[in-house]
Amino acid sequence: MTASTVILDDRLLLRVLLDGAADQLLEHPTYTTGLWYHRLARAIADPGIRGSLTRLVDGDPAGRALVITGALARLPDEVGLLSMRDLGWLMAELVADGVRLNLTSLEALAAAIHLGAEIHLSERGPNPNLIVAAARRGIPVRLVAA
């Protein structure tokens, strides 16, 4: 099954912003989740945070860093973002059905179900629990180089 809509994790969203990988990754309607967006924005906004996401931008020219910061401050229109208004109840139903995921993964699964989308995860940080939960609901997950 090839989904016509995809959901990007925070690493892949950063890749789109850093590398202009939009041609490759934005071939279909593309979304991210609020929590993935927040995690990436928090990592970039706070220079005191050093981790796997910020290492991807370490050493980038200052001008490029400003472009990334600007793109995160106002997420590009090509990347959709669902509201908890759309996902909150579905997330609660998933938990009631026995899904045990952290909040970030639960939001991603609910977004994929809501949109009929494929989840794209960075192969550098795959999420086995999300992959299993998605497979149980027929949601395709693709690991993508980031």
Side-chain angles (χ1 to χ4, degrees), residues 16 24-25 32 37 43-44 56 78 97 127 130 139:
V16 165
Q24 178 187 355
L25 292 176
T32 194
Y37 172 57
I44 299 300
L56 296 172
E78 296 81 17
D97 281 344
N127 182 328
L130 176 56
I139 301 296

Side-chain angles (χ1 to χ4, degrees), residues 40-51:
L40 177 57
R42 186 183 69 207
I44 299 300
D46 185 347
I49 294 177
R50 303 307 328 141

Side-chain angles (χ1 to χ4, degrees), residues 43-98:
I44 299 300
D46 185 347
I49 294 177
R50 303 307 328 141
S52 63
L53 290 171
T54 54
R55 278 192 291 277
L56 296 172
V57 297
D58 284 345
D60 271 357
R64 192 167 167 200
L66 289 174
V67 169
I68 295 164
T69 301
L72 282 170
R74 185 183 171 341
L75 196 60
D77 291 336
E78 296 81 17
V79 180
L81 186 64
L82 291 172
S83 166
M84 277 296 168
R85 180 178 303 214
D86 300 313
L87 302 179
W89 184 256
L90 178 53
M91 290 167 68
E93 289 180 325
L94 288 167
V95 171
D97 281 344

Side-chain angles (χ1 to χ4, degrees), residues 134-146:
R136 288 185 177 149
R137 281 153 188 81
I139 301 296
V141 175
R142 180 181 302 178
L143 299 180
V144 179

Side-chain angles (χ1 to χ4, degrees), residues 8 12 14-27:
L8 301 179
L12 296 176
L14 179 58
R15 179 175 165 206
V16 165
L17 299 175
L18 276 176
D19 301 334
D23 293 342
Q24 178 187 355
L25 292 176
L26 300 179
E27 294 172 352

